[in-house]
Amino acid sequence: MSVRKQFRTALCGLALTGVVVTTAQGPAAATPVVDGAAKVSAVAAAEDAAARSMARSLADSAWRAEAGRAVAGGKEIGLKALADTSRTRAAASLVADVAAADRSVLAAKGLTASTGGLLTVTLTGAVDSRRAPLVAVAPSDDEAAAVTAYDTQGRAHALDPSRTPDVPVYVIGIDGDKAVEAGMKVLDRELAARGVATAATPAATTAAAAGTGFWTSRITSVRLNDDKEPWIKGDAEIFSIVSGFGLDGKVRVDTVTHPYLNNDGTTYYPNQILVNWSQYKYNLADVVMMEDDGDTNYSALAKAIATALLTIADLGAYIPLVDPVVDAIPSSFWTDDADFVDAWYTLSRETTGTRDGAGGNGRFTFDRYWVSAL
């Protein structure tokens, strides 16, 4: 698939559609969900299993009150930690189900058990309502017409993704910051193992750089356009893949996380280094920005990128690497259009000022920044 087509796919898929399906009669009167034949990812299936289990556990009033206090004020906490610290019988029965779901999530994302649990829970909707709560999972498809939520009897109901519900809703999700941090280590390690230079196998800097310092491209501001995400989705988990040719003439990839970049339509001023030019042979590099929507399998991503980039040889002139990187993204990554955010071709050491992404969805402002040696 061409980059242009993927840009269009990613950007056109951001519009939300849906109809109101909740009613004034409460959760029991909401429209029942009919199971469809749509393929469900392993991560989504694990989240759904955890949501069902938690919904049933909330029939215990003592546990429900305890859980409500723990996530009051919009706090996001680990689901396993929440259940582990409770002495209620309902929470104890939930622990095993959460542990199993967490193992499934880690396996599906290509992460090791040492990462720890990734499932989280937050409380949204009419949090002060005395009505019985629901438990939901954010859909992987931004165009989903409904959000599935479960009541304490285990019955499924459909909520409008574009309207905040008028009942309390516990949302089961993924700790995106934790997943991205662990995922970048997997990307670096597995790309290096396949022969692509990364931070895990840093190229030797030039003698001049080692002795005096080096030039970098620094992000002074960054902004993403409004993607109209539904109420159930939380902060974005954004990372960038910087690619170019290392000092040895072989393809190099560096990963950069943007943990501050939570919301579209907001300008951030991170003063964050994006490219360390002492690691690159040419005065040019490319950037592909992505989001972990929960389904991202970092091991699969590393394998795909390595397979694509290792076929590219240094012919004595810079070759843009955005197309190979984007084309290498597994097709499963496009089930949620937010996976791909935008791309910047041929940034140079002298690039300053504002640069829009090729897809028109992101905007960086750069300056040149000298990092002095100690």
Side-chain angles (χ1 to χ4, degrees):
M1 182 184 296
S2 71
V3 173
R4 178 172 296 180
K5 183 175 180 181
Q6 290 172 331
F7 283 178
R8 184 168 61 251
T9 301
L11 296 175
C12 290
L14 296 176
L16 278 173
T17 59
V19 294
V20 178
V21 291
T22 55
T23 74
Q25 300 301 314
T31 303
V33 172
V34 178
D35 291 336
K39 183 178 180 180
V40 178
S41 73
V43 172
E47 290 177 301
D48 187 77
R52 288 174 182 265
S53 183
M54 183 171 183
R56 290 191 296 267
S57 76
L58 292 175
D60 183 323
S61 59
W63 163 236
R64 185 166 68 222
E66 188 176 318
R69 289 191 297 269
V71 295
K75 289 186 294 186
E76 180 184 53
I77 62 176
L79 183 55
K80 182 178 184 300
L82 174 63
D84 278 344
T85 55
S86 175
R87 295 185 177 182
T88 63
R89 181 175 298 178
S93 66
L94 177 63
V95 169
D97 291 341
V98 172
D102 262 325
R103 287 194 296 270
S104 296
V105 169
L106 291 171
K109 293 180 71 62
L111 302 176
T112 64
S114 62
T115 304
L118 290 178
L119 289 171
T120 64
V121 60
T122 56
L123 181 61
T124 187
V127 296
D128 295 325
S129 171
R130 293 183 179 276
R131 295 167 65 180
L134 299 175
V135 182
V137 175
S140 62
D141 184 1
D142 281 346
E143 295 183 340
V147 172
T148 301
Y150 302 100
D151 62 28
T152 56
Q153 300 301 311
R155 295 171 297 192
H157 306 277
L159 303 179
D160 182 358
S162 63
R163 176 180 297 184
T164 303
D166 57 1
V167 298
V169 180
Y170 289 89
V171 180
I172 304 300
I174 300 294
D175 187 334
D177 289 340
K178 186 176 181 180
V180 169
E181 181 180 358
M184 294 304 97
K185 293 178 181 178
V186 170
L187 268 177
D188 289 345
R189 183 175 64 249
E190 297 203 11
L191 283 170
R194 289 174 169 83
V196 177
T198 69
T201 55
T205 58
T206 64
T212 61
F214 51 90
W215 282 107
T216 67
S217 287
R218 183 173 64 170
I219 305 167
T220 58
S221 72
V222 57
R223 181 183 180 91
L224 301 181
N225 292 334
D226 181 9
D227 64 7
K228 300 180 182 178
E229 284 191 333
W231 56 268
I232 197 168
K233 288 214 171 184
D235 295 338
E237 288 79 35
I238 305 293
F239 62 94
S240 290
I241 297 172
V242 180
S243 57
F245 290 89
L247 299 178
D248 58 1
K250 297 180 181 179
V251 172
R252 179 180 178 86
V253 170
D254 288 296
T255 56
V256 179
T257 61
H258 308 285
Y260 53 86
L261 191 51
N262 293 326
N263 301 304
D264 291 351
T266 301
T267 301
Y268 296 88
Y269 304 92
N271 288 326
Q272 180 186 29
I273 291 175
L274 183 66
V275 186
N276 172 357
W277 292 106
S278 70
Q279 303 284 11
Y280 290 86
K281 174 181 178 180
Y282 295 106
N283 188 28
L284 294 169
D286 298 303
V287 178
V288 174
M289 180 182 281
M290 298 183 66
E291 178 189 1
D292 182 336
D293 71 329
D295 290 338
T296 307
N297 184 309
Y298 291 97
S299 181
L301 181 60
K303 181 179 179 180
I305 291 176
T307 299
L309 294 185
L310 287 174
T311 64
I312 300 173
D314 177 17
L315 301 178
Y318 186 74
I319 302 171
L321 300 176
V322 167
D323 288 34
V325 171
V326 175
D327 285 341
I329 297 173
S331 59
S332 61
F333 279 50
W334 300 92
T335 56
D336 186 331
D337 295 328
D339 275 339
F340 173 79
V341 179
D342 214 330
W344 287 259
Y345 287 81
T346 56
L347 296 177
S348 76
R349 190 178 67 182
E350 285 70 36
T351 297
T352 59
T354 298
R355 281 283 301 271
D356 289 332
N361 193 39
R363 171 173 293 180
F364 277 134
T365 301
F366 296 101
D367 71 359
R368 297 178 65 201
Y369 184 72
W370 176 257
V371 177
S372 298
L374 294 175

